Amino acid sequence: MRFLVIGCGRAGARLAHTLSVHGHAVTAIDSDPDALARVADTSSITAVRGIGFDHDVLINAGIQHADGLAAATGFDDANVVVARLARQIFRVPRVVARVYEPRNADIYRRLGIVTVSPLAWGVDRMVEALEGAE
């Protein structure tokens, strides 16, 4: 499968590497060359420098052929813009956005965007561990 990962911070770079190890074709997009360096050592990941919600950058990265897109920048608003573009304009079948603010995640889910909220997920796992759930 072909995936785009927008944002090459720790989470985005790890996601890109993991998808690549699983045998997928991965294109990573970030405007920061230092962030792109996190995926540069992997020949199976194509690195594209640019703004992740720029139409031309997305076209050049191959979004029109993507099977999925993960918006993993450090900014909720940017992630949601990219996710909505991917779903509504480019008709990417699988789209997920990382959202830091749990309240935003609820709003974006109502807009039809699949979200992952590390804060909410982490707190839920900590409660389970403290309460003895296995």
Side-chain angles (χ1 to χ4, degrees), residues 4-39:
L4 287 155
V5 176
I6 313 301
C8 290
R10 289 178 298 177
R14 183 173 177 126
L15 175 60
H17 281 289
T18 302
L19 289 168
S20 176
V21 167
H22 288 184
H24 302 290
V26 179
T27 299
I29 301 173
D30 203 298
S31 61
D32 180 359
D34 292 333
L36 282 177
R38 292 184 171 111
V39 298

Side-chain angles (χ1 to χ4, degrees), residues 12-114:
R14 183 173 177 126
L15 175 60
H17 281 289
T18 302
L19 289 168
S20 176
V21 167
H22 288 184
H24 302 290
V26 179
T27 299
I29 301 173
D30 203 298
S31 61
D32 180 359
D34 292 333
L36 282 177
R38 292 184 171 111
V39 298
D41 63 341
T42 306
S43 62
S44 60
I45 299 173
T46 302
V48 174
R49 187 170 176 201
I51 304 295
F53 51 82
D54 181 292
H55 183 271
D56 292 336
V57 170
L58 291 169
I59 292 288
N60 290 334
I63 193 169
Q64 63 274 29
H65 304 293
D67 297 300
L69 178 142
T73 76
F75 304 97
D76 288 4
D77 292 341
N79 290 341
V80 170
V81 167
V82 172
R84 292 200 66 176
L85 281 170
R87 292 287 292 167
Q88 294 178 347
I89 303 299
F90 295 104
R91 304 287 185 218
V92 176
R94 294 177 180 95
V95 177
V96 63
R98 178 177 63 180
V99 180
Y100 287 101
E101 177 55 53
R103 286 176 292 192
N104 288 348
D106 293 336
I107 293 166
Y108 301 144
R109 264 189 234 110
R110 288 194 299 269
L111 293 172
I113 298 169
V114 175

Side-chain angles (χ1 to χ4, degrees), residues 121-134:
W121 184 87
V123 168
D124 290 347
R125 298 303 74 76
M126 292 167 81
V127 168
E128 288 174 3
L130 291 169
E131 292 178 344
E134 302 204 18

